[in-house]
Structures are given as C-alpha cells and as structure tokens.
Amino acid sequence: MSITTYELNHLDHLEAEAIHIFREVAAEFEHPCLMFSGGKDSIVMLHLAAKAFWPARLPFPVMHVDTGHNFPEVLAFRDQRVQELEARLVIASVQKSIDEGRVVEETGPRASRNRLQTTTLLDAIEEHRFDALFGGARRDEEKARAKERVYSFRDDFGQWDPKNQRPELWSLYNGRIRQGEHIRVFPISNWTELDIWQYIARENVEIPHVYFAHERPVFSRDGMWLADSEFVTRTEEEVVVTRKVRYRTVGDMSCTGAVESEAETLEQIIEEVSATRITERGATRADDRVSEAAMEDRKKEGYF
Amino acid sequence: MEFLRFATAGSVDDGKSTLIGRLLYDTKSIFQDQMESIEATSVQMGNDYTNLALLTDGLRAEREQGITIDVAYRYFATPKRKFIIADTPGHTQYTRNMVTGASTADVALVLVDARHGVVEQSRRHAFLASLLRIPHLVVCVNKMDLIDYDEKAFTAVKEEFRSFAMKLDVPDLTFIPVSALHGDNVVERSINMPWYEGSSLLHHLEEVHIASDRNHIDARFPVQYVIRPQSDEHHDYRGYAGTVAGGVFKPGDEVMVLPSGFTSTVSSIDSFDGPVSEAFGPMAVTMRLADDIDVSRGDMICRPNNQPTSSQDLQAMVCWMSETFSLAPRMKLALKHTTRSSRVMVADLQYRIDVNTLHREENPESLTLNEIGRVSLRSTQPLFFDEYRRNRNTGAFILVDETTNATVAAGIIVGSGT
C-alpha cells in the first residue's frame, strides 16, 4: 500500500493561497484591476492570475501607473506580457496628471515622481470605477506593510486607516464596500523576497534583464547606486562610474538604487538573496528613507 | 519545504518580544538595516537596550505608545521549514486580535513566567487556542534563569497548567523550560538544564507533525468561481474553481452538489500545469463534472455518502469584535461561510463565557467587544457546514454589519438546530 502524505511544499502553499484570493475577488467585485509595474512581484502576480483563471483569460484589466521615469526595457517587457496574455492594459500617466495641473512636479536633485503617483492612481480608480485593486506588496518588505490586511479597505478618499482595519479571520475575506470605496488586495502578502525568486526559478517566469548583473553607468547617492539617466539631476560631487550591478526592486529610475552584484543567473540570485544581510527596500529605495514611518504615511494617503 | 504558521500572544513584560527576537536573531532573519534602524530608535526613545519589540511594532502609534496594537506577521526559515509568526498583543482588550492571529495557526505558543506560574493571562491564551482548535499548544516556561534553572519549579508550573488544560480540548500539549533572554532552549538545548530531556523550541517547531492536522476524510469543495472561457479554443469548457476544504478528490469520484442534491462524476481536475490526479486541502484547483448540471458560487461539492450538515439553524461560539455596538438577540447580520454569503438573525444568546475563569454566565443581555458567547443563528438560506472541531474550513464563519460593512464577529460552529 502506498502512503500519501498530502503535504504541500511552501511554494505550492503560497501559490494556492494567492490563487484563492484572486478568484475570491473576481467573484465578489464588479470592477477589479491588477496593478502592474513591471517589477518582479507584479510579474509573479500576473503569472498567478493567469493560473487562477486558466483556461480563461484574465477577467480584469491590468493597470500601470506610469511615472514617465521607467526603465525602457521594463516597459517593453510589460507590453510583451500583456500581449501574450491577451489582457487589457490601462495606463495611468503621472505626466498627464502634471500636464493637467493635478500635481506639481518636484524640483531639485532629489526630485521624484514617487509621491505624485498617488494622485494619478486615485484619479484612475475613480475614472474607471475600480472597486478592487490587486497589488504585489509583501509583508516582509516593510514594517507598515507587515500590519496590513490581505483585503485592505480604502475610504472614498483612497485613504488607509491602520488603526481601524477589519479583522481578517481564516481565509474568509470581507469584500463589502460602499460606492466610492475600494479594496486594495495583496495576494502575495505572505511571500518573502526569497520565495519570489524561488518561484520565478521554479515556474520559469521571464523577468526583465535589469534584475540580472550587468554593466551600467551609475553614481553613488546615500550609499546606493542610482542609474545615470535624464530623469535625475546629479550634483557636482556625484560622479558617474561604470559598475556591475543588478536591481533588487524595480520602480521609478529616480529613486530605485542598484546593488553591486555578480549574479547573472536565477540560481546565483537565489544564492545572493539567501545570504544578504540587508532588506531589499533598505538597500534600494530612497523613498523609504524619508522617515521612520515614510511608507505608513504614504499608504495613509492612498499609495500602493 | 513545509510551511508552519504559529501564533504567539503576550505582553512586553512576559518576554514574548525577546523570545521572538531571539528566534529571528539566532536564525539570522534580522537584517542589518533593520537592526540598525531599531537600535537608533531605541536610543532615541531612551531605552537602555535594543528593543526587539520595535521589529514587530511597525505602526507610528505603536512606536509612540510602546505597545502592540495589531497582529504583526513575521517570516523566517530554517533549512527544514518556513515559518509565519502571527504576533499578537496579550491583554484582554486585544482578545479579537488574538483570535484573528490564532484562526490560521498550526501551533500556539503560550508564555508563562516561571516565577509567577499559571496566571489569568496564560489561562486565557490557552482557552483561546483550544477554542480556535489550534492543534498544537506549546507552553514556554520562561525566565528559568531567574529561578536558577530549577526543575521542581518547572514541574510545578507544568502540573498546574496541565490540570487547567484538562478542562479544555487540547490535542497536543508540550512544555519547554526556556530563558528567552539568554537563549536557553530557544534554538539550542540549554546546558543549564541537563534535567530537561525534550527539544529546544526551534527544534520542536521544525519537527512537530502538522500534515495530519488537516481533514483528509470528508471531501468538501465549496465552489468559488465558475470558469467559462467563451473562446473558440475552449468553447464548451465549464470548470468549477475553488480551494479544497476537506478530504481528497480524484477524477472518477462520484460527487453530490448542494443545495441541488444532483449527483455526477468528477470528469477531470484541472490546473494551469496540467491535470491533477488527486486534489486535497489547501490546493486551489478547477473541477469539471461529467454531467451538465447547474452549479454556481456558494454551492458545495461533496460525496453522496459523506455530506456536510445542511441547515438554516446553527449553534455557534462567537467572539464579538465591534467597538461601536454589541451583539444582542434579534439582531440581523450578514454572514460569510466558505464561499457562501447569507443573512442571519441572532435567535438566542445562551451564555457568555469569562475567558479568564471559563465561568459561564447564562442568558446575558448582550456580548460586547472581545466577549465570547454561545449563540443560535437562523440563516435566510441553508448553509453546508461541519462542526469546527472536525473541519476548520467548513466550521468557521464571520459576521458583518450591514450598515458599516465592518467585520464584527468570528464564529465557530458547534452544532445545528435551534
């Protein structure tokens, strides 16, 4: 007699949990939407969504909040994936928000469009009447996110109230909202950075080349390597050098730093991530360094 | 690698944060920048030591007030297992947070101060763990260093706890003498307690057998979403997507769909990666049936000879979670159970339980925030359920206030009928 143990390994477990959440939202909401940045987490999200509804197409559109400061290879990658999945792409443009006077561009060497995205995002939610937005945030990324629910309720101003979150029990998600309110949904809440990489390797998920070590002209700021690009104003002391780097997170070019790395394959990345002593946001995100509670403050305003 | 979720409850003074900090630190799960950040914050707050509680107390309000308000989730791994810690505050006013953290846990960790023995708080935590049917309860008798690692004191705490736990339904109870501060029996076995022959806490968490905790007997598949591609390639495809909530399903199985009562055969179990030969919990799959019968979200697929209870009347224990109003007889609420939503009326509030003494107060007028009581509910439509003690997936529900849409109660089904 064969003995079946009925055990799932951790990646199967995390995958099943995410698929359950995608389906639950598709069943209960009228206008869901998947936020896609081209980053590894949102690429995994897209892959999970495709799995959840196979053999049908995604029952919701994909939205990119475009700061206008993206890595060109990431944009090309986005378009290719969307086409392969025959998905509908909605682009919400920060440039358009600036042109229409909804937000004012920051100036100076530290100018970033990171915070401006919130207005663009909330405007797009209103325009398209989205009632549920899937995001690829993970609880291990940041301490405010460690406290956020899988279904994160937003009021009609798009705001998050960390002190007044709905209790979330078992896998019974409360998706009831009133008109104008919405839910941010985080199906990969329980994944760690290492889980993401192990899953990408296991599933053969394609990712943009900026995640692998490559030579790039960069300059040092606040202990991070920022890419030299037209979107960043350098000071005189900030000298451009060529370094072999890779990105641990991919966001706006003006505030995403690269790390020096020799990892050219997924196996090498997994090895590097397993041994790292610095969190991915600590290593690479200028936007989180504003203050101890920078993420919490942005999230309260309606940020991702 | 297997996955284990454990819940801890406690306040700053009983060493819970130190214990978690120790587990994270000794398994190299605290990153350098996190450590530097909490060291800086500790200095700024005037602490004499690095306050490891800051690792989990992430919200501005928590840091300002030096308290844990909410459930924090932390992640760490050893070569054997991946762990999710649901870290919850321990005081009575946070019972709802503890219930939330405990709802998905495989293991509950209860801390007892070796100097004080079993106190009200330890009893409450043990009761909640048993109510939520966490299969494994680990009692860490902490601060052994302060009582000279005395075996007799440990045994006394153990006996005291055990006699209390006899009144509860605890399937697996383990005691570990530890010193979170010095690391005794946390990751490595302590050299200070040669008389202790059990495992260290981490070793126990790595080895505790959890695969058999899930119900693999009663086949339950709540239909979550109907997949109909309506494309040329999959023109006639109609699949029932969902997460297996109990038992095992295989192609060829004879199944029954509730509430219709129609029977059919599983023609295939599909996934993106190909056909599945056996589906069990918590796999998320898509099931196709041989016959063209009406099946929609909220229906339950089971076996004709093993059906859940189908009833509009249920008996349940509820933990009330609303700050703004209390539960009272005749009240109407929205209910979510598996993938089914319904409306219920509170037909009766039989008793309220004192979570510290287990004393029952019969026929109370209401249940207020953090109170637990036994109710009879009448649903507008039938629900398909099992007793929670038999199946956590088909025995749990939440109640939602229809005006504010707030989740106001966690419910555990103990039976049917009025």
Side-chain angles (χ1 to χ4, degrees):
Chain A
M1 201 183 99
S2 73
I3 298 166
T4 314
T5 55
Y6 299 126
E7 275 176 43
L8 290 184
N9 73 35
H10 74 285
L11 292 179
D12 291 329
H13 212 110
L14 290 168
E15 179 188 74
E17 180 179 72
I19 288 176
H20 178 84
I21 295 162
F22 272 113
R23 288 170 170 172
E24 196 63 12
V25 170
E28 290 201 324
F29 288 83
E30 283 179 38
H31 303 290
C33 170
L34 190 152
M35 295 191 281
F36 183 76
S37 66
K40 64 182 190 312
D41 299 321
S42 66
I43 291 169
V44 165
M45 289 275 289
L46 207 49
H47 183 76
L48 289 163
K51 282 191 145 185
F53 302 102
W54 182 90
R57 288 188 201 113
L58 298 189
F60 38 74
V62 171
M63 174 165 66
H64 182 214
V65 178
D66 183 354
T67 61
H69 291 175
N70 297 286
F71 293 91
E73 52 267 64
V74 173
L75 290 183
F77 182 86
R78 172 197 76 190
D79 294 339
Q80 179 206 324
R81 273 308 277 151
V82 164
Q83 201 184 1
E84 282 164 7
L85 292 168
E86 299 178 54
R88 187 159 74 85
L89 178 67
V90 174
I91 296 176
S93 156
V94 174
Q95 186 60 53
K96 192 160 158 260
S97 302
I98 294 169
D99 295 344
E100 288 171 356
R102 297 281 297 139
V103 290
V104 178
E105 177 103 74
E106 292 176 10
T107 51
R110 308 222 161 218
S112 162
R113 289 183 168 182
N114 185 282
R115 206 156 186 142
L116 308 185
Q117 292 180 92
T118 301
T119 304
T120 309
L121 171 64
L122 295 178
D123 286 353
I125 292 170
E126 204 171 305
E127 183 192 336
H128 297 278
R129 294 170 47 229
F130 292 136
D131 50 7
L133 289 100
F134 293 105
R138 309 189 321 265
R139 285 176 180 150
D140 82 319
E141 271 181 274
E142 208 283 328
K143 54 191 175 298
R145 286 188 165 165
K147 298 267 167 169
E148 194 164 11
R149 304 290 186 258
V150 171
Y151 271 39
S152 184
F153 176 78
R154 302 300 160 106
D155 65 14
D156 38 11
F157 296 97
Q159 298 181 106
W160 180 52
D161 181 359
K163 282 199 259 186
N164 191 20
Q165 299 192 80
R166 294 175 177 176
E168 204 157 75
L169 299 127
W170 299 287
S171 47
L172 294 171
Y173 301 104
N174 173 3
R176 292 173 64 111
I177 53 166
R178 283 182 279 210
Q179 199 164 5
E181 299 167 340
H182 70 273
I183 302 264
R184 300 284 172 87
V185 185
F186 302 110
I188 57 169
S189 285
N190 287 325
W191 298 47
T192 62
E193 183 185 13
L194 188 58
D195 296 328
I196 293 283
W197 284 113
Q198 288 172 338
Y199 188 72
I200 287 171
R202 184 184 90 167
E203 302 278 306
N204 284 315
V205 178
E206 213 185 311
I207 50 165
H209 290 293
V210 295
Y211 281 110
F212 298 98
H214 57 284
E215 304 266 330
R216 183 180 282 270
V218 290
F219 65 92
S220 173
R221 178 182 287 178
D222 302 334
M224 294 188 297
W225 292 111
L226 288 189
D228 181 37
S229 75
E230 53 181 312
F231 310 125
V232 197
T233 320
R234 280 182 288 113
T235 62
E236 272 177 33
E237 294 82 54
E238 292 172 333
V239 187
V240 175
V241 290
T242 299
R243 283 282 186 278
K244 191 162 187 188
V245 296
R246 69 174 200 87
Y247 286 87
R248 278 177 80 183
T249 67
V250 167
D252 188 293
M253 279 183 97
S254 66
C255 65
T256 310
V259 291
E260 283 193 68
S261 169
E262 293 293 328
E264 291 175 1
T265 64
L266 284 174
E267 289 67 35
Q268 287 165 347
I269 291 177
I270 289 171
E271 216 172 287
E272 192 182 280
V273 170
S274 311
T276 185
R277 303 300 314 131
I278 312 251
T279 62
E280 61 179 6
R281 295 197 80 87
T284 65
R285 296 308 274 262
D287 44 338
D288 287 340
R289 296 190 174 186
V290 178
S291 81
E292 187 64 15
M295 175 65 91
E296 181 181 344
D297 294 345
R298 278 180 295 152
K299 285 188 88 72
K300 283 180 184 164
E301 291 168 6
Y303 188 75
F304 300 105
Chain B
M1 203 166 25
E2 225 184 6
F3 212 50
L4 183 127
R5 296 173 192 251
F6 71 92
T8 59
S11 48
V12 183
D13 15 299
D14 60 21
K16 179 200 63 164
S17 298
T18 319
L19 184 70
I20 291 177
R22 188 43 76 197
L23 277 175
L24 295 174
Y25 193 80
D26 289 359
T27 55
K28 301 193 168 45
S29 314
I30 301 179
F31 293 95
Q32 205 179 312
D33 54 320
Q34 287 176 320
M35 202 64 198
E36 282 164 12
S37 153
I38 64 166
E39 275 166 3
T41 309
S42 299
V43 170
Q44 204 184 328
M45 290 168 66
N47 293 333
D48 294 337
Y49 54 93
T50 302
N51 186 355
L52 288 175
L54 292 170
L55 274 173
T56 46
D57 295 342
L59 299 176
R60 197 185 273 280
E62 292 177 313
R63 288 167 172 245
E64 281 165 5
Q65 297 167 44
I67 52 161
T68 308
I69 295 173
D70 209 330
V71 185
Y73 295 91
R74 297 282 317 178
Y75 304 83
F76 76 100
T78 67
K80 286 196 177 140
R81 266 185 182 159
K82 290 215 58 131
F83 298 93
I84 299 184
I85 314 176
D87 182 21
T88 66
H91 296 295
T92 314
Q93 66 263 38
Y94 299 114
T95 300
R96 66 170 169 176
N97 305 74
M98 278 183 270
V99 168
T100 302
S103 70
T104 51
D106 302 302
V107 174
L109 221 66
V110 171
L111 268 96
V112 175
D113 188 323
R115 297 169 303 171
H116 306 140
V118 180
V119 295
E120 193 177 274
Q121 177 162 290
S122 4
R123 279 197 275 268
R124 184 171 66 249
H125 296 166
F127 168 66
L128 292 175
S130 83
L131 182 72
L132 273 296
R133 294 293 298 175
I134 303 182
H136 310 275
L137 181 59
V138 180
V139 180
C140 288
V141 181
N142 192 23
K143 306 197 182 179
M144 289 299 292
D145 53 310
L146 298 180
I147 53 158
D148 297 327
Y149 301 104
D150 178 23
E151 182 180 8
K152 280 202 196 95
F154 171 70
T155 311
V157 173
K158 198 163 127 178
E159 292 313 317
E160 193 187 357
F161 199 101
R162 211 172 244 150
S163 69
F164 170 76
M166 296 226 312
K167 290 185 248 169
L168 305 170
D169 204 356
V170 182
D172 175 29
L173 183 58
T174 307
F175 295 88
I176 305 177
V178 302
S179 163
L181 192 64
H182 299 291
D184 293 282
N185 286 333
V186 178
V187 172
E188 300 293 337
R189 285 202 39 195
S190 168
I191 49 162
N192 295 315
M193 290 174 270
W195 46 265
Y196 172 68
E197 290 174 343
S199 329
S200 72
L201 173 62
L202 184 66
H203 186 76
H204 181 74
L205 293 173
E206 283 181 319
E207 297 295 330
V208 60
H209 187 66
I210 54 167
S212 55
D213 295 339
R214 285 181 185 277
N215 180 321
H216 293 305
I217 298 160
D218 312 309
R220 304 284 183 262
F221 188 79
V223 176
Q224 192 182 14
Y225 185 86
V226 181
I227 294 181
R228 299 191 60 193
Q230 293 170 319
S231 60
D232 293 340
E233 198 186 339
H234 301 280
H235 191 72
D236 295 321
Y237 189 97
R238 188 180 171 86
Y240 306 110
T243 303
V244 178
V248 180
F249 288 89
K250 297 188 197 75
D253 280 353
E254 194 191 2
V255 290
M256 177 182 268
V257 181
L258 298 173
S260 69
F262 289 130
T263 54
S264 184
T265 310
V266 177
S267 58
S268 71
I269 301 173
D270 304 337
S271 82
F272 179 90
D273 301 301
V276 176
S277 58
E278 269 188 316
F280 51 89
M283 286 169 71
V285 294
T286 303
M287 208 180 284
R288 279 193 286 166
L289 302 181
D291 303 278
D292 196 9
I293 53 178
D294 177 30
V295 182
S296 54
R297 174 175 165 85
D299 289 1
M300 176 73 85
I301 299 178
C302 58
R303 304 292 299 267
N305 58 1
N306 180 343
Q307 300 173 32
T309 305
S310 174
S311 173
Q312 283 173 264
D313 294 294
L314 44 147
Q315 294 290 322
M317 297 296 293
V318 295
C319 173
W320 192 250
M321 300 183 160
S322 171
E323 283 153 356
T324 50
F325 66 104
S326 19
L327 175 139
R330 315 299 299 166
M331 182 176 277
K332 293 185 180 69
L333 295 152
L335 169 143
K336 189 168 180 183
H337 168 258
T338 65
T339 56
R340 206 168 172 80
S341 293
S342 175
R343 293 185 76 210
V344 292
M345 190 185 70
V346 180
D348 189 21
L349 172 57
Q350 283 125 312
Y351 61 81
R352 173 167 57 206
I353 195 151
D354 183 319
V355 292
N356 297 316
T357 60
L358 305 190
H359 176 75
R360 288 179 186 182
E361 189 196 331
E362 305 287 335
N363 303 310
E365 281 177 16
S366 64
L367 284 185
T368 60
L369 177 64
N370 293 315
E371 289 186 333
I372 293 171
R374 164 83 177 246
V375 294
S376 310
L377 300 174
R378 169 83 184 163
S379 167
T380 52
Q381 46 167 322
L383 300 170
F384 316 114
F385 57 85
D386 297 284
E387 276 184 40
Y388 184 81
R389 51 173 297 142
R390 186 154 179 96
N391 188 327
R392 284 167 99 181
N393 299 312
T394 55
F397 62 86
I398 56 169
L399 296 175
V400 176
D401 172 35
E402 294 181 301
T403 316
T404 60
N405 292 327
T407 304
V408 291
I412 284 163
I413 300 173
V414 295
S416 60
T418 49

